[in-house]
Amino acid sequence: MSLDLNIDPKALGKVAVLFGGHSAERPVSLMSGQGVLAALQSVGVDAHAFDPAERPLQALKDEGFDRAFIALHGRGGEDGSLQGALEWLGIPYTGSGVTASGVAMDKTMTKRVWAAEGLTTPKYLALSRAELTRERIRSIPDELGLPVVVKPPHEGSSIGITKAVGYSVMQEAVELALGFDDELLFEECIEGPELTCAVLGQGADAVALPVVEIRAAGGDYNFENKYVTDTTQYCFGTLPPALEAEIRQMVLKAYRLLGCRGWGRADLMLRKSDMKPFLLEMNTSPGMTSHSLVPKAAKAVGIEYPQLCLWLLAQARTDRKLPAVKT
C-alpha cells in the first residue's frame, strides 16, 4: 500500500502534539507523544509538545495552534471528551470524532454495536458495582465458562485486566477492575493466537494493514510485555491468505460501523480449535511507542514512522459546520 505523502510540512501550520494527560495510560502516552513529536519535527513540521494535564486547552487557541496530533490514550484523550473540546475550539485533530471515540472507548458498547450487526465477539456479561455481590460473582464462570476475562471496559493497555482461571480468583479480579471502573465487563476467554489489525483512512477509502500475530512470553500480552520487555514477537504472514483477507474485511467493517476515521487498530483473538476470529476492541488513538503495533504494520508495507505521522497529521479535521456567510 502507498499513501499520498506529497505533503508540505509548512502548510500544516503550528501543530500541538497532545500527550501525557490524566489517565491511567499516561506513561504510555508520554512515550507515544515523544516519538510523534520527534518524528514530525524531523520532517519539518512546526510541532510542539502540549500536555493537557499541565496546561488548559484554551491555550491551544490563545497560542495560535492550527491543528493537533492526539497521542493521548484512555480517558480524557481517547473517549470523545477531548475531541469535543477541540471541536468547540475549532482546531482540527487527528483520529476519530466525538461519537466514534466515545463508543469505541466503551468496550461493552462497542461489543453491542458489533453484535447487532452480526460481527463475532466473545460472549460477555456487563455488570454494575451494585450487582457484584459475592454470590453473583461466583455465578459468572457458570455462565461464561473458565477462564473468564475480567475487564474495566473504559481502560486500555491491559490495565486492570485479569484472566481468572478459577472461582477462587474471581473476587480478587473484580476488586482490581473496580479500582478503575464502576461497571465491569466479563468475557468468555477465547483460547488461541492474539491478533491485531490496523486501519488507515475513512469510509469506503479505509484500508486495513497486514494482520499482526502477537507472541508474548507465557502467552500473556500484559503491560510489561507490551511496553517494557523486548521478548514479545510480532509476526506477519503467519495466517493462511484466505483467513488473513477475511480478518482484514471483518476489521474494516468493524471500523466503519463505529464511524472511525483517520486511523484505528482492532484487537482480536483467533480460536485455535476452529480458526474462528473474534473481535475484542477498537483503539481510536493507538500507541505510537517503539513497541507499538500500528508503526510495525505500516513499516511492513513500506511506510516509515515519520511518514506515517505526517500523513496522519495531514488528515486532521473537525466535524464543526460553520454557517454560510452572506455576501
Side-chain angles (χ1 to χ4, degrees):
M1 130 178 225
S2 62
L3 301 179
D4 181 6
L5 297 174
N6 187 25
I7 300 166
D8 178 5
K10 301 303 181 186
L12 300 176
K14 186 178 180 182
V15 174
V17 179
L18 305 180
F19 62 96
H22 294 282
S23 83
E25 296 182 69
R26 177 180 173 84
V28 181
S29 176
L30 289 171
M31 290 187 285
S32 288
Q34 287 160 1
V36 170
L37 179 65
L40 291 176
Q41 290 176 339
S42 75
V43 294
V45 175
D46 181 20
H48 305 262
F50 193 104
D51 187 345
E54 299 175 353
R55 304 171 67 191
L57 290 177
Q58 180 61 40
L60 292 170
K61 197 73 172 176
D62 295 342
E63 296 176 22
F65 284 99
D66 296 295
R67 62 183 65 207
F69 192 114
I70 298 177
L72 289 156
H73 309 312
R75 301 187 195 201
E78 196 173 353
D79 60 0
S81 56
L82 173 68
Q83 289 75 11
L86 293 172
E87 291 283 350
W88 183 261
L89 293 171
I91 296 175
Y93 55 91
T94 55
S96 293
V98 176
T99 302
S101 298
V103 174
M105 188 67 199
D106 185 333
K107 296 179 181 65
T108 303
M109 187 58 67
T110 297
K111 288 168 72 71
R112 288 171 178 154
V113 171
W114 285 342
E117 296 293 334
L119 290 174
T120 307
T121 184
K123 291 187 297 183
Y124 71 99
L125 292 170
L127 298 172
S128 68
R129 184 184 293 270
E131 295 175 288
L132 289 169
T133 63
R134 285 189 175 272
E135 293 75 16
R136 185 67 181 99
I137 293 169
R138 186 169 178 78
S139 72
I140 292 169
D142 296 332
E143 297 179 54
L144 298 178
L146 285 170
V148 175
V149 181
V150 183
K151 299 179 177 181
H154 298 92
E155 294 293 343
S157 296
S158 299
I159 292 170
I161 293 180
T162 303
K163 180 181 177 180
V165 297
Y167 289 89
S168 61
V169 295
M170 284 294 294
Q171 186 68 42
E172 184 180 346
V174 166
E175 290 173 1
L176 173 64
L178 284 174
F180 299 94
D181 239 320
D182 287 325
E183 180 183 275
L184 301 189
L185 176 63
F186 300 85
E187 269 187 341
E188 165 197 19
C189 182
I190 305 298
E191 300 286 4
E194 186 161 356
L195 310 175
T196 193
C197 182
V199 179
L200 300 179
Q202 180 177 357
D205 295 327
V207 176
L209 296 180
V211 177
V212 185
E213 181 182 345
I214 301 162
R215 297 177 181 174
D220 186 5
Y221 192 46
N222 56 22
F223 186 93
E224 183 174 353
N225 284 333
K226 284 183 178 181
Y227 303 111
V228 180
T229 71
D230 290 313
T231 58
T232 301
Q233 296 179 317
Y234 304 97
C235 306
F236 295 89
T238 59
L239 303 178
L243 179 57
E244 166 106 8
E246 176 191 344
I247 291 171
R248 289 169 79 167
Q249 285 303 310
M250 182 183 191
V251 168
L252 279 172
K253 183 177 180 180
Y255 180 88
R256 291 166 178 153
L257 280 173
L258 296 177
C260 298
R261 69 169 184 243
W263 65 326
R265 195 196 77 234
D267 295 335
L268 310 92
M269 296 299 296
L270 185 64
R271 191 164 62 191
K272 63 183 177 183
S273 62
D274 59 2
M275 301 295 279
K276 182 176 182 178
F278 290 78
L279 287 159
L280 299 180
E281 63 180 281
M282 181 69 69
N283 301 275
T284 56
S285 183
M288 289 290 280
T289 75
S290 60
H291 289 65
S292 291
L293 298 161
V294 177
K296 291 180 185 297
K299 188 170 185 177
V301 292
I303 305 168
E304 296 297 328
Y305 186 98
Q307 284 67 46
L308 175 64
C309 293
L310 181 63
W311 184 86
L312 290 169
L313 180 62
Q315 310 310 304
R317 54 169 289 187
T318 70
D319 290 320
R320 189 170 71 161
K321 300 294 188 292
L322 296 177
V325 178
K326 293 182 179 180
T327 58

